[in-house]
Every structure is written in C-alpha cells, then in structure tokens.
Amino acid sequence: MDIVFALGGSVLMPKDGASAENIKSYAQVFKKLKDMGHNVSIVVGGGNTAREYIKVSREFTNESVCDEIGIMATRMNAMLLISALSKYSVNFVPTNFKDAEMILNLGKILVMGGTHPAHTTDAVSATLAEFTNADLLVIATNVDGVYTKDPRTNNDAKKLEKMTTKELIEITGSNSISAGSSSVVDSLASKIIDRAKLKTIVVKGTPDEILKSVLGGHDGTIIIP
Ligand code: U5P
C-alpha cells in the first residue's frame, strides 16, 4: 500500500519527554512498514517548537510570517526523523510535492514538513496523499480520534468510530486557521480529503497505534468518502 502519515510534532518531540529513544521508536515502526513492502511518506508537524516561536513572533508580525516560522519548525522536526531513519530515507526535506514524489520514486521513505502559509501539515499530508495517489492517509495526533465536539473543552463530546468525509467537513469547518492553531484535522485538510476521496484514519500518535492503523486493531476514527 501507498501510505501517507501526518505525524504531529508534539508526538515526535513531546514538550516533556523529547528523546532519541522516542524518535527511534517511531523510526522503527516506519522502517518495519517499509520492510513489509509499503511505500511510506511522513509529513511531520511543528509541535511545541512551532507554537512557542509563533507566540513570540505574533508580537511583531502578521500571520503569514508566523506561519513561515512554523514551517521552519516542521522542517527541523522532519530532518530529525530523517536522521533516525538513516538509509531508509535521504538527507533532504522537500518543500514541494514534485520533489517529494521523486524521493518516493527512489524507493526511500519520504519525510517532509510544511509548504506554504495558511494551513497546517494536515493539509500538506492530504495534498501529498492526493498528489501521489496514496491508498491511505493516517493522521497520528495527540487525540485518539475525531469527536463530535472538541473533547478538551466539551465534556459531552463523543468519539466517532466511523464517519464520512462530508461529516468531517461539517465538524472541522469552523476551525481557526491562525498560525499554530491545533484542531484534530484542519479545515482545508478536510476539504482535500473529501475531494480526493481519501480513506483516512485518525489515531492517537503512539508507535503502536500507528502500526495498528495499517495492520488493523487501532482505536481511532475511520473516515470514508
Ligand atoms: N504551517 C504553515 N504551512 C504548512 C505547514 C505549517 O503555515 O504547510 C504553519 C502553521 O502556522 C502551523 C505551524 O500551525 O506551521 C506548525 O505546523 P503544524 O504543527 O500545525 O502542522
């Protein structure tokens, strides 16, 4: 299968607990999937680093420049994962989908970060999945699936086991697009998932859940066209 993963930056580099061991555990999962014959692409988010930098830069400049700073953090995280993947990847973080596709065509694991302002790496992962005709998009994040409402602020939010791409658009449509905003799936990504008819799974970004999103038995939300 051709699989694109959106890997949250806070998952790869958690605020408390960033370590080589943590990154190695993700690299092992992606290497394993590659060894099983899957084509693996990973779009890494900016996590806490992006948020800290955006918070400070917002005092000086506009949202697009804040986004550019966020993008730099995503590329730094991407390079870190590349270093842990060693020969399975290449020491290059592409900044557009054509270069990204060439890395896949070399038979390597592709790792990239952001591209342009005004969206998050969720939208990058959805576009990459569309561009490369991927069979599956896995969004590995810090919540364990898509809820009817934001579970951080609504006690009555219910997790959805299965939903359609149209329902995803309804739930995420009003999400903020400010630099550094973090919703389970960004609103542009939802629209791309719908137009590209992408089978998508949203899971908690642990190495185990990421593996299960492909092999079966995960505890996340399945989104179908
Ligand atoms: N960002 C962009 N464009 C991209 C990727 C990221 O503007 O293609 C900026 C956004 O401000 C985003 C931040 O919130 O970098 C960190 O990315 P993420 O962790 O939210 O995906």
Side-chain angles (χ1 to χ4, degrees):
M1 257 198 313
D2 290 3
I3 313 163
V4 174
F5 295 90
L7 185 66
S10 60
V11 164
L12 190 71
M13 286 289 279
K15 200 170 177 179
D16 309 305
S19 69
E21 276 313 306
N22 186 56
I23 292 167
K24 205 191 274 179
S25 64
Y26 288 96
Q28 270 162 356
V29 166
F30 295 124
K31 285 180 186 176
K32 184 170 178 169
L33 291 171
K34 181 74 186 159
D35 285 341
M36 289 171 73
H38 298 293
N39 288 321
V40 176
S41 302
I42 308 149
V43 181
V44 188
N48 188 55
T49 312
R51 270 89 204 154
E52 289 281 309
Y53 274 72
I54 287 168
K55 198 168 101 192
V56 176
S57 62
R58 189 170 277 134
E59 300 290 321
F60 306 115
T61 188
N62 61 54
E63 288 300 298
S64 293
V65 176
C66 291
D67 281 333
E68 288 290 356
I69 290 174
I71 290 169
M72 288 177 172
T74 67
R75 292 183 182 156
M76 197 160 65
N77 282 340
M79 200 67 200
L80 196 57
L81 180 59
I82 284 173
S83 63
L85 288 167
S86 58
K87 287 205 167 61
Y88 279 73
S89 190
V90 291
N91 287 326
F92 177 62
V93 179
T95 57
N96 64 68
F97 301 111
K98 291 176 193 164
D99 287 349
E101 193 174 42
M102 277 197 273
I103 294 173
L104 276 179
N105 289 342
L106 291 173
K108 300 286 185 179
I109 295 180
L110 155 67
V111 188
M112 69 186 290
T115 53
H116 301 289
H119 52 71
T120 73
T121 46
D122 290 344
V124 177
S125 67
T127 310
L128 179 67
E130 180 179 54
F131 194 85
T132 59
N133 292 312
D135 304 295
L136 176 65
L137 171 64
V138 177
I139 299 182
T141 180
N142 49 16
V143 284
D144 60 357
V146 181
Y147 285 72
T148 49
K149 299 173 192 168
D150 187 342
R152 292 171 299 188
T153 47
N154 296 283
N155 286 337
D156 59 340
K158 288 195 176 58
K159 191 165 108 182
L160 299 161
E161 215 173 286
K162 219 171 189 183
M163 68 192 301
T164 65
T165 53
K166 296 269 186 273
E167 286 165 341
L168 182 71
I169 291 178
E170 272 168 38
I171 287 183
T172 60
S174 58
N175 289 344
S176 158
I177 61 159
S178 326
S181 65
S182 48
S183 48
V184 61
V185 179
D186 91 21
S187 53
L188 179 61
S190 302
K191 288 182 184 157
I192 299 165
I193 287 169
D194 180 59
R195 84 163 188 185
K197 300 184 173 58
L198 285 170
K199 181 181 175 188
T200 304
I201 299 175
V202 177
V203 287
K204 178 110 180 149
T206 62
D208 191 44
E209 277 291 287
I210 290 174
L211 200 58
K212 285 180 177 166
S213 69
V214 179
L215 307 185
H218 67 83
D219 194 30
T221 301
I222 300 176
I223 303 157
I224 39 166

